[in-house]
């Protein structure tokens, strides 16, 4: 009698959707193997020219990854639980990248010192963060901490989005979809 209330699974109903981290890896040009460096970090390194390091634990950190997927198509990424859980010196081969975007994460003292001692790496870094606790580090040229934008609190996704809008071929990012996504993440 209750059968009509039960949703029957449709065969292959998830075909075409990304349903696992491995599928996501393949969609990014990888081989389907995702390296979980430790419980506080996930990284996908496929020797692309762009690396995005972002915050694993919330939607603001993932917003930059989503925008990167649409704009860059293929890039490497490292997702860290916080700024203490990734090491620019040992977790990546920084010299192999043209640009390293660090989104929704500040700089640990170790990473800050590494950049200060390796200007060739610091020059590759573009930082998009909004944490007030990191604001004093704005004195360094590779740090970009913005707490308020247009007299309201901002987020890393919005800062990264505004940067992407300055790049060539970014007009598609001006669509309502992206504007609403970025605003929803900012308001979260």
């Amino acid at each position: 009698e209750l059968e009509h209330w039960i949703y029957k699974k449709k065969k292959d109903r998830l075909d075409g959707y990304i349903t696992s981290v491995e599928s996501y890896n393949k969609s990014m040009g990888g081989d389907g193997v995702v390296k979980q460096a430790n419980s506080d970090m996930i990284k996908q390194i496929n020797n692309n020219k762009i690396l995005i390091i972002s915050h694993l634990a919330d939607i603001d950190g993932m917003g930059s990854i989503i925008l990167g997927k649409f704009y860059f198509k293929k890039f490497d990424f490292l997702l860290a639980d916080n700024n203490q859980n990734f090491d620019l010196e040992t977790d990546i081969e920084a010299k192999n990248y043209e640009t390293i975007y660090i989104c929704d994460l500040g700089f640990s003292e170790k990473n800050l010192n590494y950049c200060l001692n390796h200007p060739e790496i610091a020059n590759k870094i573009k930082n998009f963060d909004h944490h007030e606790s990191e604001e004093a580090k704005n004195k360094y040229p590779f740090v970009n901490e913005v707490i308020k934008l247009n007299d309201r609190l901002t987020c890393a996704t919005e800062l990264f989005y505004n940067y992407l809008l300055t790049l060539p071929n970014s007009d598609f990012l001006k669509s309502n979809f992206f504007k609403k996504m970025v605003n929803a993440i900012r308001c979260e």
Side-chain angles (χ1 to χ4, degrees):
E1 293 176 15
L2 296 176
E3 191 172 313
H4 69 281
W5 291 103
I6 299 171
Y7 176 77
K8 294 183 179 178
K9 288 185 177 180
K10 293 180 183 177
K11 184 179 182 209
D12 303 324
R13 68 183 174 98
L14 297 177
D15 284 359
Y17 291 93
I18 296 172
T19 57
S20 69
V21 175
E22 291 76 16
S23 297
Y24 180 72
N25 174 285
K26 286 181 181 177
S27 79
M28 298 284 285
D31 58 7
V33 176
V34 175
K35 182 177 182 182
Q36 180 130 1
N38 59 48
S39 63
D40 299 322
M41 182 190 318
I42 296 173
K43 62 182 176 178
Q44 174 184 295
I45 307 297
N46 291 316
N47 300 316
N48 291 299
K49 295 179 182 183
I50 293 169
L51 171 67
I52 299 177
I53 300 172
S54 196
H55 193 200
L56 169 67
D58 65 28
I59 189 62
D60 189 22
M62 296 310 296
S64 301
I65 298 294
I66 293 166
L67 290 171
K69 173 67 175 158
F70 279 96
Y71 186 79
F72 298 115
K73 308 292 187 244
K74 293 184 179 182
F75 59 93
D76 292 351
F77 65 80
L78 183 150
L79 302 173
D81 191 40
N82 61 56
N83 67 350
Q84 303 297 320
N85 290 111
F86 75 93
D87 186 329
L88 288 171
E89 186 174 9
T90 60
D91 289 331
I92 61 168
E93 292 288 331
K95 68 182 184 317
N96 295 341
Y97 294 100
E98 288 179 7
T99 309
I100 300 170
Y101 297 100
I102 301 177
C103 303
D104 200 30
L105 291 167
F107 281 81
S108 67
E109 287 303 314
K110 184 173 184 179
N111 286 333
L112 190 62
N113 288 327
Y114 179 73
C115 288
L116 291 172
N117 292 321
H118 296 87
E120 73 283 2
I121 301 303
N123 290 335
K124 296 178 177 197
I125 292 175
K126 296 191 183 312
N127 175 232
F128 303 94
D129 195 26
H130 64 106
H131 295 104
E132 198 169 341
S133 61
E134 300 290 312
E135 195 171 21
K137 294 176 184 171
N138 269 333
K139 64 184 177 186
Y140 303 108
F142 49 87
V143 175
N144 182 37
E145 294 290 335
V146 179
I147 289 58
K148 288 190 173 187
L149 191 63
N150 302 322
D151 295 322
R152 57 167 173 64
L153 293 175
T154 189
C155 67
T157 298
E158 182 179 36
L159 298 171
F160 189 54
Y161 173 75
N162 288 340
Y163 165 77
L164 291 175
L165 289 175
T166 68
L167 299 180
N169 305 313
S170 63
D171 284 346
F172 72 95
L173 290 173
K174 295 177 184 174
S175 73
N176 279 337
F177 170 80
F178 290 106
K179 288 178 185 178
K180 287 181 179 182
M181 181 192 90
V182 169
N183 192 51
I185 291 171
R186 184 186 61 76
C187 292
E188 179 64 27

